[in-house]
Amino acid sequence: MSVSDDSSITLLRTLSTSFCCRNISSMNADTFMVSTYYHERPVRTIDLQGNVGDIQHKLLPDKSYGLFESACTYISFTNTLVFSDRFQHTVYMCELTSGEGHVIKSDKIVEPAGVGAGPAGTVFVCSECTNPLVQLSQDGEILMTQDTGMDSYAVSLNRDGTRLVVSNWTDQQKKIKLFHVSR
């Protein structure tokens, strides 16, 4: 899709896949990384021509996930796949060039439902069952936590890095919150 200056959205292309996708993030101008559900590979790549690829990394779990059990994002700044395993309360940071990475478990990360790219290669993690939004460094260290006042489910940073959007998906709250990011 394309978004114009006046916020009009134009469909550019539709790609058919043989798998179900939950999250999608841009790797470059032509390729996207997607998390899957009910599929033998938890993360795949797909390009604008419809070519599908697999992500291989020693830390990436080799199992199928159900809907809402995992999420992923791609951090282009560090060529890193970030993958959450909701019911293992774990976030995997898989650097794709070197093959190195980090497995993050913390009492501040409970049922990580959403992950999003932050500034300078950092990562934001939403915990489904707790209110804090957690920011991780490139090395997997907790930089900060921010109480969102709701169970958070998805997170995204705007292009200039000044606004952070956090949403939930519970029937009771149905909220999207916008936070200002100071530098």
Side-chain angles (χ1 to χ4, degrees):
M1 294 186 187
S2 173
V3 181
S4 68
D5 290 340
D6 69 349
S7 298
S8 299
I9 299 173
T10 304
L11 177 64
L12 299 176
R13 180 173 296 154
T14 300
L15 299 172
S16 297
T17 67
S18 61
F19 50 91
C20 299
C21 303
R22 176 167 178 256
N23 298 94
I24 186 165
S25 53
S26 178
M27 292 183 72
N28 58 47
D30 297 325
T31 307
F32 302 92
M33 185 170 294
V34 297
S35 63
T36 68
Y37 58 98
Y38 307 128
H39 190 270
E40 66 270 6
R41 300 269 189 215
V43 180
R44 313 259 350 235
T45 61
I46 188 165
D47 67 20
L48 292 177
Q49 290 70 43
N51 300 312
V52 175
D54 292 322
I55 297 293
Q56 302 292 326
H57 195 279
K58 63 185 175 186
L59 295 181
L60 194 59
D62 186 24
K63 68 179 193 179
S64 177
Y65 288 86
L67 183 59
F68 307 122
E69 291 180 4
S70 67
C72 80
T73 193
Y74 177 74
I75 313 295
S76 60
F77 185 79
T78 57
N79 193 31
T80 300
L81 160 66
V82 180
F83 182 81
S84 67
D85 185 322
R86 182 173 169 200
F87 296 118
Q88 293 299 312
H89 312 287
T90 305
V91 174
Y92 301 89
M93 297 178 74
C94 305
E95 205 284 316
L96 299 177
T97 303
S98 71
E100 298 302 315
H102 306 282
V103 178
I104 300 99
K105 286 181 138 310
S106 168
D107 61 350
K108 303 217 183 289
I109 299 173
V110 179
E111 292 192 27
V115 291
T122 63
V123 176
F124 289 107
V125 179
C126 294
S127 291
E128 177 64 23
C129 293
T130 59
N131 291 342
L133 178 70
V134 177
Q135 186 179 23
L136 301 174
S137 72
Q138 296 175 30
D139 297 325
E141 299 296 322
I142 294 177
L143 297 174
M144 72 92 195
T145 60
Q146 173 66 48
D147 188 344
T148 62
M150 64 182 187
D151 292 347
S152 54
Y153 178 73
V155 59
S156 184
L157 188 67
N158 71 340
R159 287 184 188 201
D160 68 7
T162 60
R163 293 186 184 161
L164 186 72
V165 178
V166 180
S167 70
N168 68 3
W169 67 295
T170 63
D171 286 336
Q172 296 80 15
Q173 294 179 332
K174 295 181 185 168
K175 292 181 183 176
I176 295 175
K177 292 190 175 185
L178 179 65
F179 294 89
H180 175 74
V181 178
S182 58
R183 297 182 190 251

